[in-house]
């Protein structure tokens, strides 16, 4: 911690993994001898750069750009870019660290990395977003590539931003290198199912957890936070499986729709108009909908909870209320949305708990499928790609569960994910020597 002062989220992510790995150290002294953990915590490379751009009023704006290339034992660095005012080195490092284990769990040949900027795309014109993305890529391009580092989207970075970033990369390098970014548009190298993959994957993972208790999504009352890419597709899949999803939120408040979220309206407001969740309540046209400004979406009772917004959005008090209200399963669509204290409460109460690095791995797994399609200059059908995603998510679930069993902690998906993800990376690092 002394080596990385002030990086609270990074400390939190590392602490959770270290706690899970105590049992592994006893079984595998060779990892300690090779200082695997110490090496894992130190990114292979960290890049911080200035991003100057000109806004619509002709004023010069300055943001800070980051790319942390954490670990390449299993493949090129892979992980998203986040554009949000809260981004600083500690956020990028927590996300990059988690990404190492998540990517390992997918079984695909991808290492871990993450990046982003404290740029806030909200309220910016398309022209401003484009100029920012072009400036960001003007530095980033020298560090990335199909065989080195392959960024994708995250909070604040969707199809529009990936388009501008890809255009600038192509222009600077004079190469149509499809495999340099994932999350691309369908007509220029993107993959079907990539936009849906994280939300769908989280629901598939949850369904597998529910099956271990003889249950399913059918008939569940589901509370979802967020209303971005992950939340929208989690809502869609949960409803397809017969659940009633009653909430969605943004950073200003949340809606409760007792009749079940109207997905078409939600998509129109969030994806087409880039509007706010409060507008949903005004436009839904039924008395069954309420909008709560501020407050916590976790006050709404449900049997299944899918936090899909941001880190540390679900704390101890909320977890206690949710357990009392009858929550049986929680799966993290977002990265580290549940605090350590809240996670302990869920686990102590026997609630099925799917950690983000397993439950939301469907997004990066499908990014790796996009890379496969790019490498073979092919594009797969929706059905084929979704089947691959589904197989991967079931595989991740089973490997977390089997690892938890092997280490004598059945049902502990947190430890199962950390250990299963770690062992594969550690073995690759051992094989590749001290680098
Ligand atoms: P989006 O930008 O599409 O949506 C983010 C959502 O979370 C918005 O509703 C946003 O509300 C809300 N949100 C963001 N920051 C905050 C905050 N500080 N407080 C409250 N609400 C907030 O992002 P994604 O859906 O892509 O990402 C959501 C989460 O899922 C993140 O944790 C991300 O790391 C994780 N994830 C995403 C993957 C992907 O494929 N996209 C893959 C794996 C994980 P508002 O508009 O008000 O900011």
């Amino acid at each position: 911690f002394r080596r990385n002062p002030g990086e609270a989220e990074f400390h939190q992510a590392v602490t959770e993994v270290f706690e899970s790995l105590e049992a592994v150290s006893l079984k595998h002294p060779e990892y300690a001898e090779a200082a695997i953990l110490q090496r894992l915590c130190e990114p292979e490379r960290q890049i911080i750069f200035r991003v100057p751009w000109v806004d619509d009023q002709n004023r010069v704006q300055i943001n800070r750009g980051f790319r942390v290339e954490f670990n390449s034992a299993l493949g090129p660095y892979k992980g998203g870019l986040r554009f949000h005012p809260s981004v600083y080195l500690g956020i990028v490092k927590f996300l990059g660290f988690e990404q190492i284990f998540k990517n390992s769990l997918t079984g695909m040949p991808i290492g871990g990395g993450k990046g982003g900027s404290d740029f806030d795309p909200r309220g910016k014109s398309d022209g401003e977003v484009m100029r920012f993305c072009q400036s960001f890529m003007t530095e980033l391009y020298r560090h990335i590539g199909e065989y080195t580092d392959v960024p994708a989207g995250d909070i604040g970075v969707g199809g529009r931003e990936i388009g501008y970033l890809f255009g600038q990369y192509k222009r600077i390098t004079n190469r149509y290198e499809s495999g340099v970014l994932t999350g691309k548009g369908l007509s220029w190298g993107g993959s079907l199912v990539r936009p849906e993959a994280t939300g769908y994957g989280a629901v598939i993972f949850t369904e597998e957890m529910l099956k271990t208790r003889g249950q399913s999504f059918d008939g569940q009352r589901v509370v979802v936070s967020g209303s971005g890419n992950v939340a929208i597709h989690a809502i869609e899949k949960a409803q397809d499986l017969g659940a009633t999803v009653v909430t969605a939120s943004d950073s200003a408040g949340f809606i409760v729709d007792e009749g079940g979220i109207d997905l078409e309206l939600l998509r129109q407001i969030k994806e087409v108009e880039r509007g706010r969740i409060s507008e949903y309540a005004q436009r839904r046209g039924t008395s069954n909908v309420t909008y709560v400004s501020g407050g916590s979406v976790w006050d709404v009772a449900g049997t299944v909870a899918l936090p899909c917004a941001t880190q540390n959005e679900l704390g101890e008090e909320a977890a206690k209320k949710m357990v009392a209200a009858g929550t049986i399963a929680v799966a993290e669509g977002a990265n580290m949305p549940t605090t350590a204290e809240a996670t302990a409460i869920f686990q102590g109460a026997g609630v099925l708990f799917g950690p983000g690095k397993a439950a939301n791995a469907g997004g990066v797994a499908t990014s790796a499928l996009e890379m496969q399609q790019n490498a073979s200059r092919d594009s797969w059908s929706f059905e084929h790609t979704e089947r691959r995603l589904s197989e991967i998510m079931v595989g991740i679930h089973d490997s977390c569960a089997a690892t938890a069993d092997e280490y004598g902690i059945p049902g502990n998906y947190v430890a199962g994910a950390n250990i299963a993800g770690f062992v594969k990376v550690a073995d690759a690092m051992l094989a590749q020597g001290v680098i």
Side-chain angles (χ1 to χ4, degrees), residues 51-343:
V51 189
W53 56 283
V54 179
D55 70 16
D56 286 347
Q57 283 72 45
N58 246 355
R59 289 180 307 225
V60 176
Q61 301 280 351
I62 305 294
N63 286 98
R64 187 171 289 176
F66 301 89
R67 187 72 187 167
V68 173
E69 298 179 333
F70 231 113
N71 192 291
S72 61
L74 298 181
Y77 311 106
K78 182 91 196 86
L81 298 170
R82 176 177 292 192
F83 293 169
H84 192 273
S86 63
V87 167
Y88 77 106
L89 191 58
I91 294 269
V92 181
K93 282 174 66 180
F94 117 65
L95 290 163
F97 184 73
E98 294 255 308
Q99 198 83 43
I100 304 169
F101 307 95
K102 180 189 308 192
N103 293 3
S104 165
L105 282 171
T106 67
M108 319 289 281
I110 40 180
K114 199 82 188 189
S117 173
D118 57 2
F119 174 73
D120 186 358
R122 269 204 291 163
K124 303 289 192 303
S125 69
D126 281 354
E128 289 176 322
V129 171
M130 181 180 75
R131 291 193 293 280
F132 172 81
C133 288
Q134 290 176 338
S135 180
F136 186 85
M137 185 54 85
T138 301
E139 173 58 33
L140 187 69
Y141 88 95
R142 48 186 112 243
H143 309 290
I144 62 175
E146 186 182 345
Y147 297 104
T148 24
D149 184 356
V150 183
D154 190 78
I155 290 179
V157 179
R160 173 182 61 170
E161 290 75 16
I162 293 293
Y164 295 146
L165 291 164
F166 185 75
Q168 183 73 352
Y169 182 85
K170 178 165 65 78
R171 184 183 195 193
I172 296 174
T173 60
N174 192 30
R175 268 204 310 269
Y176 205 107
E177 189 184 334
S178 299
V180 69
L181 289 170
T182 58
K184 300 181 291 295
L186 272 185
S187 60
W188 43 279
S191 172
L192 283 163
V193 193
R194 177 61 190 92
E196 294 85 356
T198 309
Y200 279 20
V203 170
I204 296 167
F205 187 93
T206 313
E207 180 85 342
E208 291 305 302
M209 291 202 299
L210 288 167
K211 277 188 200 163
T212 64
R213 303 251 172 105
Q215 292 182 310
S216 74
F217 259 100
D218 196 20
Q220 305 289 352
R221 180 180 156 93
V222 181
V223 177
V224 171
S225 66
S227 52
N229 175 268
V230 179
I232 286 174
H233 296 104
I235 293 170
E236 182 182 12
K237 194 63 169 178
Q239 290 185 336
D240 283 352
L241 294 179
T244 305
V245 181
V246 291
T247 62
S249 70
D250 61 20
S251 51
F254 64 92
I255 46 150
V256 187
D257 186 341
E258 290 295 341
I261 297 287
D262 177 343
L263 196 63
E264 208 177 310
L265 176 60
L266 182 67
R267 297 185 84 142
Q268 173 65 26
I269 293 169
K270 298 301 298 188
E271 293 182 343
V272 180
E273 300 168 20
R274 296 179 187 274
R276 308 300 296 160
I277 202 71
S278 54
E279 295 164 37
Y280 178 97
Q282 292 155 16
R283 285 160 62 177
R284 177 74 157 100
T286 109
S287 55
N288 263 346
V289 183
T290 45
Y291 172 69
V292 181
S293 176
S296 165
V297 72
W298 310 118
D299 288 343
V300 181
T303 51
V304 175
L306 303 173
C308 296
T310 194
Q311 64 277 351
N312 292 328
E313 53 163 310
L314 200 174
E316 192 173 0
E317 289 313 309
K320 284 181 188 159
K321 277 191 204 163
M322 290 161 72
V323 169
T327 302
I328 57 167
V330 178
E332 297 185 320
N335 283 311
M336 209 169 72
T338 318
T339 64
E341 296 77 17
T343 305

Side-chain angles (χ1 to χ4, degrees), residues 105-106 205 208 389-401:
L105 282 171
T106 67
F205 187 93
E208 291 305 302
L389 167 66
S390 190
E391 285 163 5
I392 292 167
M393 293 314 298
V394 172
I396 293 173
H397 170 273
D398 292 353
S399 116
C400 295

